[in-house]
Structures are given as C-alpha cells and as structure tokens.
C-alpha cells in the first residue's frame, strides 16, 4: 500500500536531543560533565507537545542521532536513555518514531557490541521504509566515519544499501530520502574534512552513489547548527539540535513537506512551532491533492 503515491504529506525531523550535553558544554567538561539533563528533558517535552498539536498529523517523527550525550560505557548513559524514552512515549501514538544512530549513541569508533547495544535499545542501526510512494533510508553514518573496529559491519551495510537502491529503482518511487547523523558536508561538497562531516574520498563516493540513484535529499544533525548545500541535485540538509546549541540557532525542529515534484522544508524554533504551528504556505502545499 505504501508503495503508492497518494498526494503530499509531511514529516518532522529533529536531531541531537543529547541529554547531558548542555551542562557538560557549559562547564567545559565534555567527558564527565553530563550528570544533569533537566534542561534537555524540558526541551524534548516541548518538542513532543508541539508535534502532538499539529494538524494534520505528520507521517512520522525522525530523530537524527545523538539521542543522549553519554558515550557507550559512561556513567549516566542508562539514566539518560530512560529519561528520553519516558519523554518520547508521550508522542501521539499515531505518529511513528524513527531513530537514527549518532556518534554518542554507538561511539566515535563503534564496535559490534556498541551497535548491538544500540539496536536492543532503539531498533536497527540502518533500515528502510516506505511512506506514500516515497522510499526512506536510515543509515549508520559512524560506519562511514570510522569503521576500523568493525569493518565487516560497514561492508554489510554497503551491500545492503546497494540492494535497497536497486529495489527503489524497480519500484519507481516518487522520491528517495536519506537520514543519517553525520552530514556528508556542511556547505560545500568539496569542503575540508573535520569532525562535523565525512572524509572527502568517502563523501565523494557516497555523493556519487546517491546522485546516480536519484536521491533528492539527505537529512542529518550532528552540527548543532543549521547548514546545508547541494551536490548535482542532491540536497544536504543539516538541522540544528533540539538540545544544546553550538551556534546562533534556536532549539527546534524541521518540518519537511513532500510534494509530487519536490521536497520543501523549514526549521522552526520550538516556541514558534508550539505557539503557531505550521505556516499557511506549507499547509497549502499539503492540501493540494495530485
């Protein structure tokens, strides 16, 4: 049923609730300062309340990684995960949740154990799904960032991805959209590699593969600021955090409208989305039945 295009719809993208980072960042102790996350709980609650009020309802709510701040094996991790789950279970039951693994969820250099642990807690680290004729891919971007401790897992994801792109081609889907935690790039496809993007040769290979497959957009987080650019018709969308901001943006969520021809999105602060909902221009796009 979901292979068929039924007209425009929208979803909500959030990123980096990252319970524990705000205090760690404020006191300058990124490794041990994450023993409080009351502020993040409030922000995540505000996000859930804002989403629940939206009418019409979004098709799903995707969280693009760094669900919590505590790295695998750290002291507060379990508590942070439990508190986030407690907030998220108040999401309207008609709005499915989609989770993407981030570097804090499985480690900067993931292992089979850290990935297994994530999967037990949050679901698969990569998978695909269909909504109304649109094909969505969730990827584990840590395997592109540093798979030195689990090279076989990267290989398995690569094989799977090629199979999925073949499936998409066969089904003649309307659009293909990718979710991953680490952006391919922040502003320019050929920018230098740093902590916030993928290494250049890896990036080039993925961008080319995505371009050839006709992927329209990649949505990610990780940067805690809004950014983005494009590569040969592939749009890279980097969304700021629900939690700690590292730039000038506000705590927020991205509303993404999928129409017959294109993908239109806008970042809203939590206050804006809570008080005003989605603006008329985007609602009008949703009302246009094809």
């Amino acid at each position: 049923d979901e292979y068929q295009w039924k007209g425009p719809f929208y979803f909500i993208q959030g990123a980096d609730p990252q319970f524990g980072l705000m205090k760690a960042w404020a006191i300058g102790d990124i490794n041990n300062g994450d023993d409080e996350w009351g502020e993040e709980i409030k922000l995540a609650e505000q996000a859930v309340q804002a989403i629940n009020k939206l009418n019409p309802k979004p098709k799903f709510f995707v969280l693009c990684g760094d669900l919590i701040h505590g790295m695998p094996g750290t002291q507060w991790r379990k508590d942070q995960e439990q508190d986030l789950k407690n907030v998220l279970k108040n999401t309207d039951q008609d709005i499915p949740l989609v989770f993407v693994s981030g570097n804090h969820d499985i480690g900067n250099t993931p292992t089979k154990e850290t990935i297994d642990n994530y999967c037990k807690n949050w679901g698969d680290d990569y998978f695909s799904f269909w909504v109304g004729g649109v094909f969505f891919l969730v990827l584990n971007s840590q395997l592109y960032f540093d798979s030195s401790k689990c090279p076989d897992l990267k290989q398995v994801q690569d094989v799977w991805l090629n199979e999925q792109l073949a499936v998409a081609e066969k089904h003649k889907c309307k659009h293909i959209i990718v979710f991953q935690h680490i952006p391919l790039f922040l502003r320019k496809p050929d920018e230098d590699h740093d902590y916030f993007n993928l290494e250049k040769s890896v990036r080039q290979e993925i961008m080319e593969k995505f371009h050839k497959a006709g992927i329209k957009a990649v949505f990610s987080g990780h940067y805690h600021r809004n950014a983005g650019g494009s590569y040969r018709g592939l749009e890279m969308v980097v969304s700021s955090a629900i939690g700690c901001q590292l730039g000038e943006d506000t705590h927020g969520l991205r509303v993404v409208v999928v129409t017959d021809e294109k993908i239109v999105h806008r970042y809203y602060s939590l206050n804006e989305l809570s008080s005003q909902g989605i603006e008329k221009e985007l609602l009008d796009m949703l009302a246009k039945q094809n």
Side-chain angles (χ1 to χ4, degrees):
D1 188 41
E2 290 298 337
Y3 289 154
Q4 304 306 315
W5 174 253
K6 305 186 192 71
F9 64 87
Y10 81 103
F11 63 86
I12 301 287
Q13 183 218 6
D16 303 89
Q18 205 159 341
F19 282 23
L21 175 58
M22 288 174 87
K23 181 180 175 199
W25 186 259
I27 65 171
D29 184 357
I30 290 299
N31 298 322
N32 312 296
D34 61 334
D35 58 346
E36 288 174 23
W37 50 90
E39 198 57 41
E40 284 97 335
I41 289 176
K42 282 192 206 127
L43 290 162
E45 284 172 345
Q46 190 182 359
V48 167
Q49 286 158 6
I51 292 167
N52 287 348
K53 283 198 324 206
L54 295 173
N55 185 20
K57 287 188 201 316
K59 287 288 186 187
F60 59 88
F61 171 27
V62 58
L63 272 171
C64 280
D66 281 3
L67 306 172
I68 52 156
H69 183 65
M71 286 279 189
T74 57
Q75 186 177 358
W76 305 107
R77 185 177 169 89
K78 283 263 180 293
D79 293 341
Q80 289 168 359
E81 286 181 333
Q82 193 50 57
D83 283 352
L84 179 58
K85 286 179 182 177
N86 289 343
V87 173
L88 292 174
K89 65 178 183 226
N90 294 317
T91 310
D92 186 309
Q93 62 189 27
D94 294 330
I95 304 172
L97 292 166
V98 177
F99 298 110
V100 181
S101 62
N103 56 307
H104 283 262
D105 306 309
I106 58 176
N108 285 323
T109 307
T111 64
K112 185 177 183 308
E113 288 69 35
T114 64
I115 292 174
D116 282 350
N117 196 336
Y118 170 86
C119 294
K120 281 193 198 94
N121 254 307
W122 301 102
D124 293 339
D125 58 322
Y126 58 88
F127 55 96
S128 64
F129 60 98
W130 288 82
V131 175
V134 177
F135 191 47
F136 292 93
L137 290 161
V138 171
L139 298 180
N140 178 345
S141 56
Q142 285 317 116
L143 295 175
Y144 296 126
F145 192 80
D146 182 359
S147 62
S148 57
K149 288 188 178 161
C150 54
D152 52 325
L153 294 183
K154 177 186 185 292
Q155 204 177 350
V156 174
Q157 176 173 258
D158 287 343
V159 169
W160 172 86
L161 178 57
N162 291 337
E163 287 166 356
Q164 295 297 306
L165 294 175
V167 166
E169 189 174 24
K170 193 178 98 195
H171 279 287
K172 300 281 177 270
C173 54
K174 200 45 107 173
H175 305 291
I176 311 173
I177 295 174
V178 171
F179 299 120
Q180 60 186 56
H181 178 61
I182 300 183
L184 297 168
F185 57 89
L186 297 174
R187 292 196 169 79
K188 295 196 175 79
D190 59 351
E191 71 198 16
D192 288 341
H193 166 58
D194 66 18
Y195 175 77
F196 287 112
N197 60 19
L198 292 179
E199 196 272 315
K200 271 179 148 176
S201 62
V202 174
R203 177 197 317 168
Q204 188 57 42
E205 192 184 328
I206 298 170
M207 291 189 308
E208 214 24 60
K209 179 183 285 192
F210 285 3
H211 165 68
K212 283 203 177 89
I215 291 172
K216 290 279 175 64
V218 176
F219 288 88
S220 70
H222 189 51
Y223 192 43
H224 294 254
R225 285 156 281 213
N226 288 309
S230 66
Y231 171 82
R232 301 180 70 186
L234 167 73
E235 189 182 7
M236 181 68 242
V237 185
V238 185
S239 292
S240 198
I242 293 170
C244 188
Q245 300 300 313
L246 302 183
E248 302 300 306
D249 293 298
T250 49
H251 308 283
L253 295 164
R254 193 172 292 277
V255 173
V256 185
V257 176
V258 183
T259 74
D260 193 11
E261 290 92 36
K262 58 189 178 182
I263 293 149
V264 181
H265 52 86
R266 178 166 169 222
Y267 186 82
Y268 289 83
S269 75
L270 294 180
N271 291 341
E272 205 179 353
L273 198 60
S274 307
S275 59
Q276 292 155 29
I278 301 172
E279 70 206 275
K280 184 174 182 318
E281 187 190 351
L282 294 184
L283 288 172
D284 287 348
M285 284 182 184
L286 291 171
K288 284 199 179 98
Q289 281 310 313
N290 300 348

